[in-house]
Amino acid sequence: AVRLVVLVSGTGSNLRALLDAHDDPAYGARVVGVVADRPGIGGLDHARAAGVPTAVVQVADFGSREEWDAALAKAVGVFTPDWVVSAGFMKILGAAFLARFGGRTLNTHPALLPSYPGAHGVRDALAGGARVTGATMHLVDAGVDTGPIIAQVAVDVTDDDTEETLHERIKVVERAMLVEKVGRIAREGLVVDGRRTRIGAVA
Ligand code: GAR
């Protein structure tokens, strides 16, 4: 199966959904490592419960953002991933990381990009008065949520939505999209700008 490393910073419900999917050999992808930017988070608990090895690479342990980014790339590289999935990872991936894993790192974002990029996609959509928002999967490039879009799913905003209620509704469809698309990419490769990238072993 295609080897996945998942990057997490929080609850890890998207990771949990991938871990639920990967036991089926027909899925075509397996989470072989989980890397976090902080200890003590739900995502690491999900990994441990599934018997998947973890690593924590904290910015505070390094003298600069560049050194942290290089250490993150090294920690991910230990697991020899075919694809990297950023699932609720709340840091920008830098030059060293992208030199190694660019073109094979996927991110999921809780808004319909190119609208509402950044760390507060749900809050910003509400503040902007959006009536429809959703989730986007895209390839990571050097910008903030600017890489080629792979899939999107829409969610209606209701009048009484708070950031929390809206984000929970987004996350339900986001998880389903992530699991479906990652599996498809593992099995069939990914076409971006008319070119098919097929990385890793096929189940
Ligand atoms: C997800 O909604 C993801 O799109 C978002 O964080 C949530 C993580 O949930 N990511 C970002 O906002 C990145 N800018 P999870 O930890 O339960 O998977």
Short mmCIF file of all heavy atoms in Angstrom, two decimals, residues 10-15 87-90 107-110 118-121 145 167 170-171 174-175, ligand 1:
data_model
loop_
_atom_site.label_atom_id
_atom_site.label_comp_id
_atom_site.label_asym_id
_atom_site.label_seq_id
_atom_site.Cartn_x
_atom_site.Cartn_y
_atom_site.Cartn_z
N GLY A 10 -3.77 18.93 16.46
CA GLY A 10 -4.90 19.03 17.39
C GLY A 10 -5.66 17.74 17.56
O GLY A 10 -5.07 16.66 17.74
N THR A 11 -6.98 17.86 17.48
CA THR A 11 -7.90 16.77 17.78
C THR A 11 -7.62 15.50 16.97
O THR A 11 -7.70 14.39 17.48
CB THR A 11 -9.34 17.23 17.47
OG1 THR A 11 -9.53 18.49 18.09
CG2 THR A 11 -10.36 16.24 17.97
N GLY A 12 -7.32 15.70 15.70
CA GLY A 12 -6.96 14.56 14.87
C GLY A 12 -8.13 13.73 14.38
O GLY A 12 -7.97 12.53 14.11
N SER A 13 -9.29 14.36 14.21
CA SER A 13 -10.43 13.57 13.72
C SER A 13 -10.23 13.16 12.25
O SER A 13 -10.69 12.09 11.83
CB SER A 13 -11.75 14.31 13.91
OG SER A 13 -11.82 15.43 13.07
N ASN A 14 -9.55 13.99 11.49
CA ASN A 14 -9.25 13.58 10.10
C ASN A 14 -8.26 12.42 10.08
O ASN A 14 -8.43 11.48 9.30
CB ASN A 14 -8.71 14.79 9.32
CG ASN A 14 -9.80 15.74 8.90
OD1 ASN A 14 -10.56 15.45 8.00
ND2 ASN A 14 -9.88 16.87 9.59
N LEU A 15 -7.24 12.48 10.93
CA LEU A 15 -6.33 11.35 11.07
C LEU A 15 -7.09 10.09 11.47
O LEU A 15 -6.87 9.01 10.91
CB LEU A 15 -5.27 11.68 12.13
CG LEU A 15 -4.44 10.49 12.62
CD1 LEU A 15 -3.60 9.90 11.50
CD2 LEU A 15 -3.58 10.90 13.81
N ALA A 87 -3.26 17.37 8.09
CA ALA A 87 -4.67 17.26 8.50
C ALA A 87 -4.85 17.99 9.83
O ALA A 87 -4.70 17.41 10.90
CB ALA A 87 -5.08 15.80 8.62
N GLY A 88 -5.11 19.28 9.74
CA GLY A 88 -5.19 20.08 10.95
C GLY A 88 -3.82 20.42 11.50
O GLY A 88 -3.66 20.62 12.70
N PHE A 89 -2.84 20.52 10.60
CA PHE A 89 -1.48 20.93 11.00
C PHE A 89 -1.43 22.45 10.86
O PHE A 89 -1.66 22.98 9.78
CB PHE A 89 -0.45 20.26 10.10
CG PHE A 89 0.98 20.42 10.58
CD1 PHE A 89 1.39 19.83 11.77
CD2 PHE A 89 1.90 21.14 9.83
CE1 PHE A 89 2.70 19.96 12.21
CE2 PHE A 89 3.21 21.27 10.26
CZ PHE A 89 3.62 20.68 11.46
N MET A 90 -1.17 23.15 11.98
CA MET A 90 -1.36 24.60 11.99
C MET A 90 -0.07 25.39 11.82
O MET A 90 0.11 26.46 12.38
CB MET A 90 -2.09 25.00 13.28
CG MET A 90 -3.44 24.32 13.47
SD MET A 90 -4.60 24.53 12.07
CE MET A 90 -5.14 26.23 12.37
N ASN A 107 -3.10 19.00 1.71
CA ASN A 107 -3.63 19.69 2.89
C ASN A 107 -5.15 19.73 2.79
O ASN A 107 -5.70 19.76 1.70
CB ASN A 107 -3.09 21.12 2.94
CG ASN A 107 -3.58 21.88 4.17
OD1 ASN A 107 -3.58 21.36 5.28
ND2 ASN A 107 -4.02 23.11 3.98
N THR A 108 -5.78 19.73 3.95
CA THR A 108 -7.22 19.95 3.98
C THR A 108 -7.49 21.23 4.75
O THR A 108 -6.86 21.49 5.78
CB THR A 108 -7.97 18.73 4.55
OG1 THR A 108 -9.36 19.04 4.59
CG2 THR A 108 -7.48 18.33 5.93
N HIS A 109 -8.38 22.06 4.21
CA HIS A 109 -8.63 23.39 4.76
C HIS A 109 -10.15 23.59 4.92
O HIS A 109 -10.91 23.26 4.02
CB HIS A 109 -8.06 24.45 3.82
CG HIS A 109 -8.26 25.84 4.32
ND1 HIS A 109 -7.48 26.38 5.33
CD2 HIS A 109 -9.17 26.79 4.00
CE1 HIS A 109 -7.91 27.61 5.58
NE2 HIS A 109 -8.93 27.87 4.79
N PRO A 110 -10.58 24.20 6.05
CA PRO A 110 -12.02 24.30 6.31
C PRO A 110 -12.66 25.55 5.71
O PRO A 110 -13.29 26.35 6.41
CB PRO A 110 -12.08 24.32 7.84
CG PRO A 110 -10.82 25.05 8.23
CD PRO A 110 -9.78 24.64 7.21
N GLY A 118 -5.75 30.53 5.44
CA GLY A 118 -5.13 30.89 6.72
C GLY A 118 -5.64 30.08 7.89
O GLY A 118 -6.33 29.08 7.73
N ALA A 119 -5.29 30.54 9.08
CA ALA A 119 -5.49 29.76 10.30
C ALA A 119 -6.93 29.78 10.79
O ALA A 119 -7.29 28.96 11.64
CB ALA A 119 -4.57 30.27 11.39
N HIS A 120 -7.78 30.70 10.26
CA HIS A 120 -9.14 30.84 10.80
C HIS A 120 -10.18 30.81 9.69
O HIS A 120 -11.02 31.72 9.58
CB HIS A 120 -9.24 32.14 11.60
CG HIS A 120 -8.22 32.25 12.69
ND1 HIS A 120 -8.26 31.46 13.82
CD2 HIS A 120 -7.09 33.00 12.80
CE1 HIS A 120 -7.21 31.74 14.59
NE2 HIS A 120 -6.49 32.66 13.98
N GLY A 121 -10.11 29.77 8.89
CA GLY A 121 -10.99 29.69 7.72
C GLY A 121 -12.46 29.73 8.06
O GLY A 121 -13.26 30.34 7.33
N ASP A 145 -2.12 28.15 1.70
CA ASP A 145 -3.35 27.56 1.14
C ASP A 145 -3.59 27.96 -0.32
O ASP A 145 -4.72 28.20 -0.73
CB ASP A 145 -4.56 27.94 2.01
CG ASP A 145 -4.40 27.44 3.44
OD1 ASP A 145 -3.83 26.36 3.64
OD2 ASP A 145 -4.86 28.16 4.36
N HIS A 167 -17.96 24.70 12.09
CA HIS A 167 -16.76 23.88 11.88
C HIS A 167 -17.08 22.40 12.04
O HIS A 167 -16.60 21.55 11.28
CB HIS A 167 -15.64 24.31 12.84
CG HIS A 167 -14.28 23.87 12.39
ND1 HIS A 167 -13.13 24.28 13.01
CD2 HIS A 167 -13.88 23.03 11.39
CE1 HIS A 167 -12.08 23.73 12.40
NE2 HIS A 167 -12.51 22.96 11.42
N ILE A 170 -18.69 21.26 8.89
CA ILE A 170 -17.68 21.17 7.83
C ILE A 170 -16.84 19.90 8.01
O ILE A 170 -16.56 19.19 7.05
CB ILE A 170 -16.78 22.43 7.83
CG1 ILE A 170 -17.57 23.65 7.36
CG2 ILE A 170 -15.54 22.21 6.96
CD1 ILE A 170 -16.84 24.97 7.54
N LYS A 171 -16.45 19.64 9.25
CA LYS A 171 -15.55 18.51 9.49
C LYS A 171 -16.17 17.16 9.12
O LYS A 171 -15.46 16.24 8.70
CB LYS A 171 -15.07 18.51 10.94
CG LYS A 171 -13.97 19.57 11.17
CD LYS A 171 -13.56 19.72 12.62
CE LYS A 171 -12.75 18.54 13.09
NZ LYS A 171 -12.05 18.87 14.38
N GLU A 174 -15.71 17.08 5.42
CA GLU A 174 -14.27 17.17 5.16
C GLU A 174 -13.61 15.80 5.33
O GLU A 174 -12.80 15.37 4.50
CB GLU A 174 -13.65 18.19 6.12
CG GLU A 174 -12.16 18.41 5.95
CD GLU A 174 -11.61 19.41 6.96
OE1 GLU A 174 -12.14 19.51 8.08
OE2 GLU A 174 -10.63 20.09 6.62
N ARG A 175 -13.94 15.13 6.42
CA ARG A 175 -13.36 13.80 6.68
C ARG A 175 -13.70 12.82 5.57
O ARG A 175 -12.85 12.05 5.11
CB ARG A 175 -13.90 13.23 8.00
CG ARG A 175 -13.28 13.85 9.23
CD ARG A 175 -13.62 13.04 10.45
NE ARG A 175 -15.00 13.15 10.88
CZ ARG A 175 -15.46 14.08 11.73
NH1 ARG A 175 -14.64 14.98 12.23
NH2 ARG A 175 -16.73 14.12 12.08
C1 GAR B 1 -9.82 20.63 10.08
O1 GAR B 1 -11.08 21.22 9.88
C2 GAR B 1 -8.80 21.22 9.14
O2 GAR B 1 -9.33 21.57 7.90
C3 GAR B 1 -8.38 22.46 9.88
O3 GAR B 1 -8.30 22.04 11.21
C4 GAR B 1 -9.25 21.00 11.45
C5 GAR B 1 -8.53 19.85 12.10
O4 GAR B 1 -9.42 18.92 12.64
N1 GAR B 1 -7.16 22.96 9.37
C6 GAR B 1 -6.85 24.24 9.30
O5 GAR B 1 -7.58 25.13 9.71
C7 GAR B 1 -5.52 24.53 8.65
N2 GAR B 1 -5.37 25.94 8.40
P1 GAR B 1 -8.90 17.55 13.24
O6 GAR B 1 -7.69 17.85 14.11
O7 GAR B 1 -10.05 17.03 14.05
O8 GAR B 1 -8.55 16.66 12.07
#
